[in-house]
Amino acid sequence: MVETGRRLPSLTGLRFFLAASVLAAHLFVDATFFADPGLRTAVLPLESLAACAVSGFFVLSGFVLAWTHRPGEPAGAFWRRRLWRIGPAHALGWLGAVAFAVLAADSALPNGLPLHCGPGFGAISLLLLQGWAPDLALNACFNSPSWSISCEVFFYALFPLLIAAARRLPARRLGAAWTVLAVAVLSLPLPALAVGGPVLGGDLPLSAESVWLCYFFPPARLAEFALGIVTARLVRAGRWPRVPRTVLLLSCAPAAALTPFLPAPFRFGALGTVPLTLLIAHLARADAEGRSGLPARPALTALGEASYALYILHWPLLLTVRHLTGEDRTFGVPAGLVLVAACALLAQGTALLAHRFVERPLAQRFSRRRSPAPAPPGEPARAPTA
């Protein structure tokens, strides 16, 4: 059995790289800063990388919650802690998006989707219910990245049942359960191929309903979260095989390279989920065995702690900068790169401040476990924040 009394700082560092991938896609693709059409085409694969990163977040969330779970914790206490973990930064991002909607009342995304859709959509976004409606305009309204938090809320609601089921699985069956979930992740985009409707056009030959079904719909993403839970159990039970680093590289790199060329429903992260799961398990096992590497460096773990704030706050900041520079204005490569760098620094600085002065104080005040009782044998004493 793997020793689990250690923290897993590598997974905290990994969170920064995942959030940075999403930020890069929004800066280089969605912001449309660059005038060169060849460059705009060249950076389109960043969208697939960002989709893979979101899948990685879902797997990582399931892994960390399973790793830190204490048997006997009331479901209500767990839900309260998760609320105080995701709520403050989400509220800040939502307020920022509302402020932008007031600033730019007639603005739209480059693809024509409106950025504000009225008080009703605003309330749905605030309550994190937008993932349940097959309406891409709703997902784009206000703070667009919060659609994935809508999925997370669904996962949290089911977690007490999922972790109980995972703990009842005999260790010898964990491998089979992992395989079933991995196949489910790879197969779930298939139903979207059968969904009709007007095609969105461009480089995405799918209907809006198909995109919603294979990407935004919370139940469609549940297998990724469950895969993280089972992976954590495998690592803890000492049944996770040692995967050489070369194998990890040979699985992650092709997944990232091939995703943009797959059938449209598979461009939303399905191919990258399993390689990222292998990486998460590898990093967690290395940490547990005292072999932490680059992602566990203090600077990266500090950025990783603020990664949720970076993920959820960067969008309204980016839209505001884009509006102030002129929504239809494009720039040459040098000026565009300067704008991208400035936006990245602004987003990261805002995230660090929000984590330091909003997220962390509120989490320390409201989201800690009330009982300081020691963890049962085999359970981690300390672990990364999910």
Side-chain angles (χ1 to χ4, degrees):
M1 180 174 289
V2 173
E3 195 270 309
T4 58
R6 296 178 180 267
R7 298 184 67 184
L8 305 180
S10 295
L11 297 190
T12 304
L14 178 62
R15 285 168 45 198
F16 166 70
F17 289 107
L18 296 177
S21 298
V22 176
L23 174 63
H26 289 164
L27 285 173
F28 281 95
V29 181
D30 295 301
T32 61
F33 282 128
F34 297 97
D36 184 353
L39 179 59
R40 292 202 301 267
T41 301
V43 298
L44 280 177
L46 287 174
E47 290 189 318
S48 296
L49 179 64
C52 289
V54 172
S55 293
F57 271 127
F58 290 157
V59 175
L60 187 58
S61 178
F63 186 100
V64 172
L65 291 179
W67 188 271
T68 59
H69 175 69
R70 295 184 180 183
E73 181 184 30
F78 167 78
W79 291 327
R80 173 181 56 81
R81 288 192 298 106
R82 300 320 301 165
L83 173 64
W84 283 106
R85 175 67 183 95
I86 66 172
H90 165 59
L92 283 178
W94 185 84
L95 288 172
V98 170
F100 174 77
V102 174
L103 172 68
D106 298 322
S107 297
L109 291 172
N111 58 11
L113 291 175
L115 291 169
H116 55 92
C117 308
F121 276 16
I124 291 172
S125 177
L126 178 63
L127 296 174
L128 294 171
L129 297 174
Q130 62 269 50
W132 294 92
D135 187 338
L136 297 189
L138 175 57
N139 292 125
C141 283
F142 294 90
N143 193 11
S144 180
S146 65
W147 73 264
S148 64
I149 314 305
S150 177
C151 293
E152 288 281 1
V153 168
F154 174 64
F155 303 158
Y156 298 159
L158 295 182
F159 178 75
L161 297 176
L162 295 173
I163 192 63
R167 287 186 174 278
R168 283 197 293 269
L169 272 176
R172 67 181 184 278
R173 295 184 180 176
L174 289 173
W178 190 94
T179 302
V180 169
L181 287 169
V183 171
V185 168
L186 293 171
S187 303
L188 279 173
L190 289 173
L193 293 172
V195 177
V199 173
L200 292 174
D203 63 337
L204 192 63
L206 290 172
S207 67
E209 291 78 10
S210 295
V211 174
W212 168 75
L213 183 61
C214 65
Y215 193 56
F216 297 109
F217 188 41
R221 311 307 297 263
L222 183 61
E224 294 159 300
F225 181 77
L227 186 65
I229 293 174
V230 174
T231 302
R233 277 221 57 200
L234 279 164
V235 174
R236 173 169 293 165
R239 289 177 170 266
W240 187 261
R242 291 190 180 276
V243 181
R245 292 182 181 180
T246 53
V247 174
L248 289 174
L249 292 175
L250 290 175
S251 62
C252 290
L258 292 174
T259 294
F261 304 99
L262 293 174
F266 292 90
R267 299 178 198 170
F268 296 106
L271 190 63
T273 302
V274 171
L276 281 171
T277 303
L278 299 180
L279 178 62
I280 289 167
H282 173 82
L283 293 175
R285 183 168 183 165
D287 280 349
E289 295 176 351
R291 300 182 291 105
S292 300
L294 174 65
R297 297 285 180 87
L300 286 176
T301 57
L303 292 172
E305 291 290 347
S307 61
Y308 172 58
L310 176 63
Y311 177 81
I312 205 67
L313 297 179
H314 78 272
W315 185 251
L317 293 172
L318 172 58
L319 293 179
T320 300
V321 171
R322 196 66 186 94
H323 177 72
L324 294 176
T325 58
E327 293 167 12
D328 298 324
R329 186 181 176 189
T330 55
F331 304 86
V333 173
L337 289 176
V338 169
L339 279 170
V340 165
C343 288
L345 290 174
L346 174 64
Q348 185 63 74
T350 302
L352 289 169
L353 291 173
H355 176 69
R356 172 65 180 84
F357 295 106
V358 179
E359 280 191 299
R360 191 163 67 184
L362 290 175
Q364 290 174 344
R365 174 66 179 86
F366 296 107
S367 71
R368 284 184 172 180
R369 291 184 173 94
R370 297 186 184 279
S371 173
E379 294 292 327
R382 302 177 72 191
T385 304

